[in-house]
Amino acid sequence: MNLHDSPKLKKIIDQCCQGQSQAQYELFKHTYPYAMGICARFSSGPEEAKEILNDGFLKVFTQIKRYSPDLSFAGWLRKILINTAIDHYRKNKKYNDQHVEIVQEVDRPDAEKTLSQLHAEDILKLVQCLPPAYRMVFTLYVVEAFSHKEIAEKLGISIGTSKSNLSKARLKLQQALATITNSTHQTYGKG
C-alpha cells in the first residue's frame, strides 16, 4: 500500500476511526518510512525521531475522525508530524537554547563537489548535528518551505531570530562540509 489515497487506505482509515487496533497497526506499518523520514529531519537522531513519531501517531489515532477523505492522507499526516515536531521542540526549548559558537570560515570551492558526493543519509546526519533551534528553522524553511513569518509564529520567536538561525544553520553546514572536504583530502591525498 502506498500513501496515495486508495480504496485499501480508505478502508484502513475507516477501521481506525472505529478504534480497531489491527487497522492502527497496519496504518502505522505502511506509513512508517514516510513518517520517520519527516521526523528524522527535525530530530538529533533516531531516538528523538522515534519519540516524535510515537507522539505524532498518538495524535493521528486520536484525531483520525477529523481527517477528511477530500484531503490527501499523506499531507494530513505530514502536517500532524510537523506540528508534533514543533511541539517537541517547544517542550524541550529550555534545553535547546544552548548555542554553539560559530567561527566564520572562507568558502571552499571544493565544498560544492563534496556536497554532490554525499548521500541523503549523510546530509540528514549533518542537519541532525545542528543545534535544535538552528535545525528546526533550517528544516521548516529549506525542506518544508515555511516562510520566516510562519516559522516565527509557530516557534514563538521573532522573524529576525528565524532569519538569524537559518543563517547560522547554513554556516554550520558549510563548516561541516569544509571539515569533510579537508578529511577527504587528507585521507586520499590531494589532487
Side-chain angles (χ1 to χ4, degrees):
M1 180 179 80
N2 60 30
L3 284 182
H4 300 292
D5 300 324
S6 67
K8 184 175 181 179
L9 178 61
K10 183 179 179 339
K11 182 179 177 184
I12 289 173
I13 292 169
D14 289 343
Q15 291 170 341
C16 286
C17 289
Q18 297 167 14
Q20 294 182 19
S21 59
Q22 183 62 35
Q24 291 174 339
Y25 172 74
E26 286 296 315
L27 186 64
F28 180 83
K29 184 175 84 172
H30 290 297
T31 59
Y32 181 86
Y34 172 76
M36 184 52 94
I38 293 168
C39 296
R41 292 191 297 261
F42 288 96
S43 71
S44 61
E47 292 306 314
E48 186 179 17
K50 287 176 188 173
E51 188 177 329
I52 295 167
L53 180 79
N54 289 333
D55 290 348
F57 268 97
L58 181 62
K59 290 178 183 177
V60 165
F61 294 134
T62 58
Q63 297 177 16
I64 193 121
K65 290 181 181 178
R66 294 183 186 173
Y67 166 69
S68 170
D70 298 338
L71 303 173
S72 155
F73 183 76
W76 185 79
L77 176 62
R78 180 178 157 268
K79 183 177 180 179
I80 287 178
L81 294 172
I82 290 171
N83 286 332
T84 302
I86 291 169
D87 291 344
H88 180 81
Y89 169 79
R90 280 195 212 126
K91 181 175 81 175
N92 296 303
K93 190 168 183 343
K94 62 184 171 189
Y95 304 109
N96 295 337
D97 284 342
Q98 302 163 354
H99 295 291
V100 178
E101 189 63 34
I102 295 179
V103 179
Q104 181 77 35
E105 287 195 14
V106 179
D107 286 338
R108 298 184 55 93
D110 44 349
E112 189 70 34
K113 180 180 174 188
T114 301
L115 183 60
S116 69
Q117 294 172 348
L118 290 175
H119 297 283
E121 297 84 22
D122 299 323
I123 295 169
L124 176 61
K125 286 178 186 174
L126 290 176
V127 172
Q128 288 177 330
C129 289
L130 291 171
Y134 302 167
R135 181 178 59 243
M136 180 60 67
V137 171
F138 180 84
T139 303
L140 288 172
Y141 188 84
V142 174
V143 180
E144 301 298 338
F146 280 54
S147 70
H148 283 295
K149 181 180 180 197
E150 292 169 318
I151 294 168
E153 290 170 359
K154 292 230 178 243
L155 300 183
I157 59 176
S158 71
I159 292 173
T161 300
S162 178
K163 289 178 179 180
S164 173
N165 285 353
L166 177 62
S167 176
K168 290 173 182 176
R170 286 181 169 156
L171 182 58
K172 285 200 73 62
L173 291 173
Q174 287 173 353
Q175 290 171 345
L177 286 172
T179 301
I180 291 170
T181 301
N182 289 338
S183 66
T184 301
H185 283 294
Q186 290 172 358
T187 302
Y188 297 108
K190 293 185 179 180

